[in-house]
Amino acid sequence: NTNLLILDEADASVDAEGAELLNDVLKTFTSSNIFIISHKGDLLRDKVNDVITFELVNNFTVIKAE
């Protein structure tokens, strides 16, 4: 058993209605750690608890200070 779910661009090929349905499903995982990797950060920001943003600095990926 695990309580970790990692989704990589799961919302990339869905329309707005599909994204809402995906969000509804994810809300049912109440005791899980869910990480969503997405380039649509602005659209997801109000649907998640925390956001970690990464950026490329001198050819290295670093966590962006917010």
Side-chain angles (χ1 to χ4, degrees):
N1 293 336
T2 184
N3 66 347
L4 176 65
L5 176 62
I6 300 173
L7 301 172
D8 187 6
E9 299 292 344
D11 59 347
S13 62
V14 297
D15 58 10
E17 182 182 356
E20 285 300 319
L21 291 171
L22 175 62
N23 189 47
D24 291 343
V25 170
L26 294 177
K27 286 180 186 177
T28 66
F29 293 92
T30 56
S31 61
S32 298
N33 297 300
I34 301 173
F35 292 86
I36 302 171
I37 301 166
S38 177
H39 288 89
K40 299 180 181 179
D42 292 340
L43 298 175
L44 294 173
R45 194 168 301 273
D46 64 333
K47 294 176 174 50
V48 297
N49 295 332
D50 298 299
V51 175
I52 302 171
T53 305
F54 296 90
E55 65 182 344
L56 193 62
V57 176
N58 297 326
N59 292 323
F60 290 95
T61 303
V62 297
I63 296 175
K64 183 178 177 181
E66 302 232 1

